[in-house]
Amino acid sequence: MSGHSKWATTKHKKAAIDAKRGKIFAKLIKNIEVAARTGGPDPAGNPTLFDAIQKAKKSSVPNDNIDRAVKRGGGLDGGGVDYETIMYEGYAPGGVAVLIECLTDNRNRAASEVRVALTRNGGSLGEAGSVGYLFSRKGVIAVPNADGLTEDDILMAVLDAGAEEVNDLVEDGFEVLCEPTDLVAVRTALQEAGIDYDSAEAGFQPSTSIAVDAEGARKVMRVVDALEDSDEVQNVYTNVDISDDVLAELDA
């Protein structure tokens, strides 16, 4: 899930990630298959595949699983599934906008699972265009904390490559934003500067945000967790704003 809060960039808590590791692995593998199918199985000539593999490795997906996914997606073993990307729009409690990116081989199943996840947790499914205008597509690169690494260090490395913004997320590292067309150039600039990164991918950033209190945050989190628990859902984006004070209250 992505939005304007430190909590959002870390998928809540690492314990939750560990509990869902099997589902996360499956989604990362699906990304690799689609990237290989779309742009070919050679990561050297397919930046989207390169970044999908990088993210999977950072999440400890076994190399054998990655290799099999590349072969399936690239048609090297005759297998694989033809997935399509579908975007759904809706609302979480409190009028928080939710943009849901699905990668599926069954439109009806995906729509049903998204609708159920929203409605059972106090949200609702919207019409196409109902909240999409509140988000813009951006390249997003996650940079982990490192000894001595500062926001200025990163900015100096990526500014000429097309980066628009570098956000210091304190305990959660840094976030570099750019146009999707500049993603490869910015990622390459980080590599050349010797700065490690966890993931580089195109996502959606909200243009406006809605601040919530602790109870509102819990309600939004329940919606996002339910959506992310679906095998059909790859990414969930919201315009929720959870302040440091509210985050501290949730962690108390």
Side-chain angles (χ1 to χ4, degrees):
M1 170 189 167
S2 295
H4 286 307
S5 72
K6 297 180 181 65
W7 164 81
T9 62
T10 59
K11 301 280 188 179
H12 327 319
K13 298 182 182 294
K14 287 182 173 55
I17 290 180
D18 291 339
K20 295 182 178 180
R21 187 166 298 277
K23 283 188 176 293
I24 291 172
F25 278 15
K27 293 181 181 185
L28 293 170
I29 288 296
K30 193 184 289 187
N31 274 340
I32 292 172
E33 284 192 41
V34 171
R37 182 178 296 274
T38 303
D42 181 9
N46 183 347
T48 303
L49 176 60
F50 181 94
D51 290 326
I53 292 173
Q54 167 82 359
K55 186 175 182 181
K57 287 183 175 180
K58 287 285 187 176
S59 298
S60 301
V61 176
N63 287 332
D64 286 348
N65 296 35
I66 292 173
D67 292 342
R68 285 195 295 270
V70 171
K71 290 178 180 178
R72 283 196 303 271
L76 301 179
D77 66 356
V81 178
D82 193 9
Y83 297 108
E84 63 175 323
T85 299
I86 307 173
M87 302 297 297
Y88 294 100
E89 303 175 38
Y91 299 91
V96 171
V98 185
L99 198 60
I100 305 118
E101 183 179 15
C102 293
L103 199 54
T104 182
D105 61 344
N106 188 315
R107 279 176 168 265
N108 292 335
R109 185 178 64 230
S112 175
E113 292 197 12
V114 167
R115 184 180 292 106
V116 168
L118 286 168
T119 56
R120 284 186 177 174
N121 294 280
S124 60
L125 188 63
E127 298 292 329
S130 58
V131 303
Y133 69 96
L134 296 171
F135 297 83
S136 58
R137 194 161 180 80
K138 292 290 182 182
V140 183
I141 303 175
V143 178
N145 281 320
D147 288 342
L149 185 65
T150 68
E151 185 176 339
D152 286 341
D153 293 334
I154 297 173
L155 189 59
M156 290 297 293
V158 299
L159 192 58
D160 290 341
E164 298 177 349
E165 188 177 346
V166 177
N167 297 317
D168 187 345
L169 305 176
V170 191
E171 293 180 2
D172 305 319
F174 305 87
E175 176 186 69
V176 183
L177 302 180
C178 63
E179 287 299 316
T181 51
D182 292 327
L183 186 60
V184 174
V186 174
R187 179 251 288 165
T188 301
L190 287 172
Q191 291 173 315
E192 292 176 347
I195 298 174
D196 190 25
Y197 69 96
D198 283 337
S199 64
E201 58 194 337
F204 289 89
Q205 292 287 316
S207 56
T208 60
S209 57
I210 295 179
V212 294
D213 59 14
E215 182 56 30
R218 291 188 185 97
K219 291 178 179 179
V220 173
M221 290 162 80
R222 280 196 290 270
V223 169
V224 173
D225 283 342
L227 287 166
E228 290 184 338
D229 201 44
S230 168
D231 292 336
E232 306 297 318
V233 175
Q234 287 294 104
N235 294 295
V236 180
Y237 306 94
T238 83
N239 67 340
V240 70
D241 182 356
I242 301 176
S243 69
D244 289 342
D245 289 342
V246 170
L247 184 60
E249 187 176 344
L250 293 175
D251 289 338

